[in-house]
DNA sequence: GATGCCGGGCT
DNA sequence: AGCCCGGCATC
């Protein structure tokens, strides 16, 4: 059983270079590597478009691609911004890119020309939200909001979450909204603080252990992965590595350590050395492979 | 180049 | 659900 896939968040139009929950593409950053190539680094490739301005104009503008300036620790991931081949809506695509991760929050501009966001494809969450009277789908609908005020997320986290919502002189028709893109969440809130709280309460394991979570503890692995960004990773490698922020380089087993969530990642997974069906039987004896191997999935016969 | 397999598409 | 494959990371 592996623990869900990606567990990052970022702003909407960005995409994290993650595959299978393990960081992809080592190179670039190269922190001091204490060990051989097999176990070292591996998380420098984290690709973030942090410097991006969250303003819609920039994100969806005429340029077809947006990306972060290449830097020591941020390669850029181009994200199609405007047009997309028919059958695949652009927003859908961007959403997919973002949703590739588990969560992302982003300011949305409501009331802007529909063309900017119009999409036939499924975006149920905020499409729905759009249909409802403002203030209705706000915090009021958050089932898990205790009356007690809680401390805000660390400032860094907030930064990664929303950036500055660009306090434009608001044309009375435009309104900045925030959407939670945590896997299959999509909640839309009207304030950054509200979104922070939502994320903390609903998606984050509190820094005291999962059992301290509000009323209903989410201990085991039974719940939807969407609520377990930091699952009690299996006995083998119960660690997360902080790749950015105050706690950079530190390891721990929960987001409790000083690290903005987006940069708290599991270390790279080594490839097992067990020979799998493909290697054992060869391409010509494909019928002998286990089904998983035949389907290019993780082998079920020869486990690691 | 070969192998392992995630993510996602199709039926 | 079963089945397949693109693409990527690792060997
Ligand atoms: Zn197999």
């Amino acid at each position: 059983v592996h623990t869900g896939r990606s567990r990052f968040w970022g702003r909407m139009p960005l995409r994290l270079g993650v595959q299978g929950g393990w960081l992809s593409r080592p190179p670039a950053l190269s922190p001091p590597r204490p060990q051989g190539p097999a176990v070292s680094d591996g998380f420098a490739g984290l690709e973030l478009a942090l410097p991006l301005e969250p303003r819609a104009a920039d994100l969806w503008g005429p340029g077809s691609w947006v990306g972060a300036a290449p830097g020591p620790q941020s390669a850029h991931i181009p994200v199609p911004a405007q047009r997309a081949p028919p059958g695949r809506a652009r927003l859908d695509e961007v959403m997919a890119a973002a949703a590739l991760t588990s969560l992302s929050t982003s300011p949305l501009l409501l009331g802007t020309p529909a063309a900017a966001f119009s999409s036939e494809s499924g975006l149920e969450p905020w499409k729905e939200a759009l249909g409802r009277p403002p203030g209705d789908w706000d915090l009021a609908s958050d089932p898990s909001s205790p009356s007690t005020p809680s401390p805000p997320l660390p400032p860094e986290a907030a930064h990664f979450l929303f950036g500055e919502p660009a306090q434009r002189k608001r044309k009375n028709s435009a309104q900045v909204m925030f959407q939670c893109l945590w896997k299959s969440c999509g909640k839309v809130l009207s304030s950054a603080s509200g979104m922070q709280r939502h994320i903390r309460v609903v998606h984050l394991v509190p820094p005291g252990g999962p059992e301290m979570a509000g009323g209903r503890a989410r201990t085991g692995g039974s719940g939807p992965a969407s609520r377990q960004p930091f699952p009690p990773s299996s006995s083998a490698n119960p660690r997360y590595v902080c790749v950015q922020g105050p706690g950079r380089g530190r390891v721990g087993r929960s987001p409790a350590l000083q690290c903005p969530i987006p940069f708290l990642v599991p270390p790279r997974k080594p490839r097992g050395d067990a020979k799998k069906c493909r290697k054992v039987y060869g391409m010509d004896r494909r019928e002998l492979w286990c089904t998983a191997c035949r389907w290019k999935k993780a082998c079920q016969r020869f486990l690691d």
Side-chain angles (χ1 to χ4, degrees):
Chain A
V1 142
H2 40 73
T3 64
R5 312 224 133 209
S6 35
R7 42 184 78 80
F8 303 111
W9 13 333
R11 214 171 295 133
M12 179 116 107
L14 64 75
R15 164 181 172 171
L16 302 176
V18 175
Q19 192 192 2
W22 305 94
L23 228 355
S24 63
R25 284 195 202 291
L29 173 61
S30 78
R33 37 169 74 182
Q35 322 187 336
V39 246
S40 62
D41 66 39
F43 36 82
L46 187 60
E47 299 165 358
L48 295 171
L50 288 179
L52 280 184
E53 278 277 289
R55 282 178 297 124
D58 294 335
L59 303 180
W60 311 96
S64 342
W65 305 90
V66 288
Q73 55 211 86
S74 81
H76 92 286
I77 283 271
V79 174
Q82 182 118 37
R83 307 245 44 172
R88 234 183 230 316
R90 45 237 162 260
L91 180 52
D92 193 28
E93 190 149 38
V94 176
M95 288 290 287
L100 165 159
T101 85
S102 9
L103 170 142
S104 154
T105 53
S106 60
L108 298 179
L109 280 186
L110 301 186
T112 45
F117 292 113
S118 76
S119 159
E120 322 75 58
S121 49
L123 267 174
E124 276 41 302
W126 63 269
K127 218 201 233 160
E128 244 181 42
L130 282 173
R132 252 169 287 172
D136 189 14
W137 29 255
D138 201 343
L139 301 175
S141 63
D142 191 343
S144 50
S145 62
S147 50
T148 53
S150 34
L153 291 174
E156 318 86 55
H159 169 68
F160 298 127
L161 274 180
F162 328 109
E164 318 316 321
Q167 292 287 4
R168 309 237 83 188
K169 312 177 180 247
R170 294 194 293 179
K171 290 250 167 197
N172 48 4
S173 58
Q175 193 179 0
V176 178
M177 302 299 294
F178 298 88
Q179 180 183 32
C180 177
L181 295 182
W182 204 283
K183 211 158 208 161
S184 61
C185 175
K187 191 168 192 59
V188 176
L189 299 176
S190 59
S191 70
S193 58
M195 182 53 71
Q196 286 187 25
R197 196 174 53 106
H198 162 78
I199 288 159
R200 183 167 10 83
V201 171
V202 179
H203 299 299
L204 246 42
V205 178
E211 60 279 0
M212 289 191 66
R216 311 166 296 111
R218 274 247 73 85
T219 40
S222 57
S226 56
R227 308 221 163 190
Q228 296 244 324
F230 295 93
S233 50
S234 62
S235 43
N237 260 350
R239 288 170 130 73
Y240 292 95
V241 178
C242 182
V243 271
Q244 182 63 275
R248 172 172 359 199
R250 306 244 294 283
V251 293
R253 57 184 66 214
S254 84
L257 72 165
Q258 293 281 15
C259 186
I261 305 303
F263 299 116
L264 196 52
V265 308
R268 189 168 38 146
K269 176 179 190 140
R271 208 220 268 182
D273 41 4
K275 305 258 182 287
K276 304 299 170 59
C277 298
R278 181 184 177 130
K279 183 98 181 184
V280 171
Y281 303 109
M283 288 295 281
D284 39 344
R285 301 273 186 285
R286 228 179 102 120
E287 326 81 61
L288 298 181
W289 299 7
C290 72
T291 18
C293 280
R294 253 181 291 129
W295 298 349
K296 297 221 266 180
K297 301 285 190 235
C299 180
Q300 308 170 312
R301 185 173 301 164
F302 306 105
L303 309 164
D304 287 315

